[in-house]
Amino acid sequence: VKTFEHAKNMVGINCIGRESLLYGHIQAIYGYAGLSMNKPLALPKIEHGVNFSESPIEKQEIYSHPNLVFQGEYKKMMIHNVNPLKPVFCIGPYIHYAEDYYTNEHIESIRSRNGKTLLVFPTHSYEESSMDYDLPAFVDSVMDGIGKSYNTVLVSGYWLNLNSPVYAMFESRGAKIISAGARFDPSFLKRLKTMIQLADGVAGNDIGTHIGYSLILGKTFEKLPSKIVKRDSAKLSGPEEQQMDFNDRQFTRAFGSGPNPGTLQQGDLFRKFWGGAEVLKSPEEMGCLIEVAEHHLEVSRGQ
């Protein structure tokens, strides 16, 4: 993190489908389909997270990729309004396709040692954004509130924010800090899957991909109150900001700690943004998805 923060320039892979190389998504998909990655890859455009502002995709992005992969179908119609022939695959929560990072025996031994476990996801930034919120109040709300019902509190440390004081505050209250690694790490998704499997319940103070991942792995999620001020160099348009605020309110209502959490609404949000269990693909279907990308790449000669 220190090296990254002081770097003037970053060098990364720039190619069609490069977004698919983040978080180990493409490795999970190829592995699940039983395909080898020891050859030139036909990379679909895998949306690496959930876009809660539901921002439109530029026409160039739609036309320049062999196919597009999402978890839920919330952008499918938007794309087909631009190009009705573009293959768009919705495959459900990516984490379903990741292998476990530990063996079942190792996972059970950790669960036995930790007892009833809460996994907490503090809100995090990315390279071109920052945020402020009341860190001590959030830590206290976890450790003196929901965390009291658990033997162990695990806190997920996002790689870019590991220098944040919030982790030291949690540690001083007896929580354990864990991390899935950097987003460029192909084992990220495998670690995250195991982290959620170690928990009996999951909580966080912001909306994010972790909500759908928790649900597909059979864990409850609670959205904790926290007033977060975000600053982002990538400015959202007015309609995008309104959609983001609307979705945030929807998730707060559905997953908040009120007396009557919206169970039905939870399912609706899960299906919209993560596709739900209904759209999960078999290994054979996933192999066909890659085959379509390879065919498009071949006939277009990479153009």
Side-chain angles (χ1 to χ4, degrees):
V1 175
K2 183 177 179 182
T3 300
F4 179 85
E5 288 178 340
H6 290 85
K8 290 192 172 95
N9 296 294
M10 294 296 288
V11 178
I13 295 173
N14 188 13
C15 62
I16 293 295
R18 62 189 176 276
E19 191 178 1
S20 306
L21 298 171
L22 300 176
Y23 298 110
H25 290 157
I26 195 67
Q27 287 85 354
I29 286 176
Y30 265 79
Y32 178 80
L35 298 174
S36 170
M37 293 187 65
N38 297 324
K39 63 176 182 176
L41 298 180
L43 295 174
K45 177 179 170 60
I46 299 178
E47 186 186 43
H48 75 267
V50 174
N51 180 229
F52 294 106
S53 66
E54 302 184 46
S55 306
I57 301 178
E58 295 181 6
K59 287 185 179 181
Q60 180 184 349
E61 286 287 287
I62 295 173
Y63 280 103
S64 64
H65 291 87
N67 56 14
L68 297 99
V69 176
F70 297 87
Q71 297 181 92
E73 297 195 347
Y74 68 111
K75 285 190 175 180
K76 192 171 186 176
M77 186 178 297
M78 186 190 300
I79 293 164
H80 282 162
N81 284 339
V82 176
N83 179 0
L85 300 179
K86 176 61 61 175
V88 179
F89 297 102
C90 300
I91 65 174
Y94 303 141
I95 207 161
H96 169 78
Y97 304 104
E99 297 176 349
D100 296 332
Y101 191 68
Y102 293 137
T103 64
N104 288 337
E105 292 75 18
H106 193 177
I107 290 172
E108 287 307 312
S109 70
I110 296 174
R111 284 179 58 83
S112 176
R113 186 167 66 246
N114 287 346
K116 189 179 179 183
T117 298
L118 174 69
L119 174 61
V120 180
F121 286 93
T123 185
H124 69 79
S125 62
Y126 73 103
E127 292 88 329
E128 297 175 1
S129 73
S130 61
M131 59 186 58
D132 289 319
Y133 62 101
D134 192 334
L135 305 183
F138 175 57
V139 174
D140 290 343
S141 72
V142 173
M143 302 307 294
D144 297 329
I146 186 175
K148 286 285 190 182
S149 303
Y150 293 86
N151 304 112
T152 298
V153 176
L154 302 176
V155 180
S156 172
Y158 188 68
W159 71 278
L160 186 61
N161 299 144
L162 283 174
N163 289 338
S164 169
V166 73
Y167 299 111
M169 292 178 189
F170 267 116
E171 211 163 23
S172 70
R173 294 293 308 273
K176 298 177 181 180
I177 312 303
I178 58 178
S179 179
R183 72 175 187 173
F184 320 105
D185 190 328
S187 292
F188 184 101
L189 198 61
K190 291 196 288 187
R191 293 196 194 97
L192 185 59
K193 185 174 187 178
T194 297
M195 286 163 56
I196 296 173
Q197 287 173 328
L198 290 174
D200 296 282
V202 183
N205 61 337
D206 202 0
I207 54 179
T209 310
H210 57 278
I211 298 175
Y213 285 178
S214 301
L215 297 181
I216 197 65
L217 294 175
K219 313 298 178 178
T220 58
F221 177 81
E222 182 173 331
K223 187 174 184 290
L224 304 173
S226 195
K227 187 176 180 180
I228 304 167
V229 178
K230 299 181 180 181
R231 291 175 294 277
D232 198 325
S233 64
K235 298 297 182 184
L236 296 177
S237 67
E240 288 172 327
E241 284 190 358
Q242 291 173 6
Q243 192 64 41
M244 175 72 87
D245 292 341
F246 173 77
N247 284 328
D248 185 70
R249 291 194 302 273
Q250 292 283 90
F251 275 91
T252 299
R253 190 177 298 116
F255 292 93
S257 55
N260 297 303
T263 307
L264 291 176
Q265 193 183 20
Q266 287 182 6
D268 291 339
L269 291 169
F270 180 45
R271 283 185 290 275
K272 175 180 178 179
F273 291 106
W274 289 272
E278 303 96 289
V279 299
L280 293 174
K281 300 293 181 272
S282 68
E284 292 76 21
E285 289 172 320
M286 197 64 82
C288 291
L289 185 158
I290 299 295
E291 210 172 283
V292 169
E294 289 176 340
H295 176 69
H296 278 218
L297 195 64
E298 181 181 352
V299 298
S300 67
R301 297 179 181 270
Q303 302 299 315

